[in-house]
Amino acid sequence: MIGMLHGRVDSVDAVSALIEVGGVGYEVRMPSADLASIHAGQDVKVYTSLNVSQDAITLFGFDTMASKRMFLQLQKVSGIGPKVALSLLSTLPPDRLARAVADGDAAALAKAPGLGKKGAQKIILELKGSIDLSQIEGSSNAGVASEDTGTEQVVEGLMSLGWHQQDATGAVRMACADNQIETPLDAEDVPRVLKLALASLDRGR
């Protein structure tokens, strides 16, 4: 079992990162916010979960242990696989996701692509009361320095204009890479990155 990688980012695309560790490149699928916060050449530590199915062996990665714990917890729900669990973590960070389950907020969970209202209700039914909020929120706070609220703001702004989250996240990442803008984004960089990402998305239509 591969539980963690510590290496250098070789490349990042809309759904995964290629991380080199000791001369070996690992393709890691990650939540969109995690992907948006890393760039080629960066040294990273990623907590991982290996999924083996009939068609593929897939390595999923997260920038905090809280995200990994939530990813594994979600898959305990009948009918929820790794793709939907990853979609949920791309929609809500682990602390907000745990709070939505605890509060019975099906509407917040249903925003995740591929889930739907019935799936959200099933997650609440099967997980409510079993998630240790202090463990999730405590781990999230420990990793607060790696959070990129600026990038989240830009992605949410693009989504409010009608763009899909995956496209918005990719555009933000490219805008930062092409213009040498460091992440996590400072508050003053948010308007600039929003304009650059929007221009990139408009050109791609």
Side-chain angles (χ1 to χ4, degrees):
M1 175 65 72
I2 302 172
M4 185 191 74
L5 297 176
H6 191 181
R8 177 159 295 188
V9 179
D10 181 85
S11 60
V12 184
D13 60 30
V15 296
S16 63
L18 185 63
I19 301 175
E20 181 186 350
V21 182
V24 178
Y26 294 86
E27 185 175 349
V28 187
R29 294 182 66 91
M30 301 176 68
S32 55
D34 292 1
L35 288 170
S37 69
I38 62 176
H39 56 80
Q42 179 180 354
D43 287 328
V44 294
K45 180 166 71 172
V46 177
Y47 299 96
T48 58
S49 174
L50 185 66
N51 181 266
V52 181
S53 66
Q54 289 183 342
D55 342 356
I57 298 175
T58 309
L59 191 61
F60 295 90
F62 313 91
D63 67 354
T64 66
M65 183 58 76
S67 291
K68 178 179 176 178
R69 287 193 187 108
M70 179 58 75
F71 177 75
L72 296 174
Q73 189 83 9
L74 287 166
Q75 292 177 74
K76 294 179 181 179
V77 178
S78 57
I80 301 297
K83 289 183 180 179
V84 174
L86 189 69
S87 176
L88 276 159
L89 284 163
S90 291
T91 304
L92 294 170
D95 53 345
R96 287 171 57 190
L97 207 162
R99 180 58 62 185
V101 172
D103 294 343
D105 189 354
L109 298 178
K111 292 178 182 178
L115 182 61
K117 189 175 180 180
K118 288 185 178 179
Q121 291 171 338
K122 179 181 287 187
I123 288 173
I124 291 169
L125 181 66
E126 295 190 26
L127 291 187
K128 191 171 185 179
S130 65
I131 294 179
D132 186 344
L133 285 174
S134 63
Q135 185 182 51
I136 296 293
E137 293 174 345
S139 298
S140 296
N141 291 336
V144 70
S146 67
E147 292 180 2
D148 191 352
T149 55
T151 293
E152 290 179 8
Q153 289 174 13
V154 177
V155 171
E156 288 175 3
L158 293 169
M159 290 173 64
S160 72
L161 295 172
W163 296 98
H164 293 298
Q165 183 173 18
Q166 183 172 319
D167 295 332
T169 301
V172 172
R173 179 182 58 78
M174 290 302 296
C176 292
D178 291 346
N179 294 276
Q180 290 79 49
I181 301 172
E182 293 187 359
T183 56
L185 291 179
D186 293 329
E188 55 265 28
D189 288 327
V190 169
R192 179 186 176 201
V193 173
L194 179 58
K195 290 179 182 178
L196 290 168
L198 185 58
S200 173
L201 288 166
D202 285 337
R203 285 197 301 271
R205 285 191 173 188

